[in-house]
């Protein structure tokens, strides 16, 4: 009798199938990035950003997709000079979709691609710009909540940029958005 109860409990604790299975998904997202490295002049090159994601969840719950994020960054003014920094990232993503409930999916994921940090440096009326693109990885997790064909998404990840031993472009990123699946 006790064994039957444990089997029933174990069966009811099993995850629901993810609603994302066999469906393409496209979303737009509002992000905020907090730089964690040594930033020249304490300027956050991330800050507010916009992103787009797209991908497909295979029947085996494996998600394959891509993302592009653009961060508006920050600026700093000093006597006669101004410094502006920003970041963009283009990454492929792979994840695994876990059905938490019929409407909710938790997706642990890993992004792999390029992150580019750059800016414009002006002293008086003379300006110069510089940009470096480096390999980056972004481990994270995403939650998707379906409203039929529309869905809401929340995202947290840590972008690690491999830039000549410097950690100035690494960042913790939070995002929220809306998407469509078909």
């Amino acid at each position: 009798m006790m064994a039957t109860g444990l089997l029933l409990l174990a069966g009811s604790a099993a995850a629901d199938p993810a609603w994302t299975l066999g469906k393409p998904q496209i979303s737009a997202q509002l992000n905020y990035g907090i730089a964690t490295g040594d930033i020249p002049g304490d300027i956050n090159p991330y800050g507010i950003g916009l992103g787009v994601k797209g991908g497909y969840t295979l029947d085996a719950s494996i998600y394959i997709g891509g993302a592009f994020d653009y961060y508006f960054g920050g600026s700093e003014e000093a006597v006669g000079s101004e410094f502006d920094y920003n970041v963009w990232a283009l990454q492929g993503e792979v994840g695994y979709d876990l059905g938490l409930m019929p409407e909710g999916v938790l997706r642990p994921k890993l992004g792999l691609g390029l992150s580019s940090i750059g800016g414009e440096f002006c002293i008086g009326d003379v300006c110069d710009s510089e940009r470096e693109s480096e390999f980056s990885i972004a481990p994270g997790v995403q939650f998707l909540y379906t409203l039929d064909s529309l869905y809401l998404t929340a995202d947290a990840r840590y972008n690690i940029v491999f830039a000549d031993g410097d950690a100035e472009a690494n960042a913790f990123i939070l995002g929220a958005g809306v998407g469509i699946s078909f």
Side-chain angles (χ1 to χ4, degrees):
M1 178 108 152
M2 190 168 161
T4 305
L6 288 174
L7 286 174
L8 288 175
L9 181 61
S12 66
D16 290 320
W19 60 264
T20 54
L21 296 181
K23 292 184 179 180
Q25 303 120 47
I26 298 172
S27 66
Q29 193 161 291
L30 179 64
N31 296 318
Y32 188 79
I34 303 164
T36 60
D38 285 332
I39 305 299
D42 293 326
I43 299 171
N44 182 2
Y46 286 84
I48 297 287
L50 299 174
V52 293
K53 295 181 184 297
Y56 183 83
T57 303
L58 303 170
D59 288 335
S61 295
I62 306 270
Y63 171 80
I64 299 171
F68 177 77
D69 296 303
Y70 181 87
Y71 299 90
F72 296 100
S75 63
E76 185 175 277
E77 292 184 32
V79 177
S81 62
E82 182 177 349
F83 305 95
D84 294 312
Y85 289 99
N86 74 344
V87 173
W88 61 258
L90 177 64
Q91 296 179 329
E93 293 184 327
V94 63
Y96 187 81
D97 287 5
L98 301 165
L100 297 180
M101 59 185 121
E103 301 86 12
V105 171
L106 186 66
R107 177 183 291 155
K109 62 181 183 167
L110 179 66
L112 301 165
L114 287 177
S115 290
S116 182
I117 183 171
E120 185 174 64
F121 318 101
C122 296
I123 298 175
D125 291 336
V126 179
C127 295
D128 188 23
S129 61
E130 187 176 308
R131 180 161 294 280
E132 284 187 36
S133 297
E134 302 288 346
F135 176 73
S136 61
I137 63 172
V141 64
Q142 186 175 18
F143 179 75
L144 298 90
Y145 187 85
T146 186
L147 305 167
D148 291 322
S149 62
L150 288 177
Y151 64 91
L152 304 176
T153 181
D155 188 83
R157 59 201 140 111
Y158 188 71
N159 196 44
I160 303 166
V161 182
F162 294 92
D164 300 328
D166 294 332
E168 66 184 38
N170 294 352
F172 181 68
I173 300 165
L174 296 173
V178 63
I180 187 167
S181 64
F182 35 96

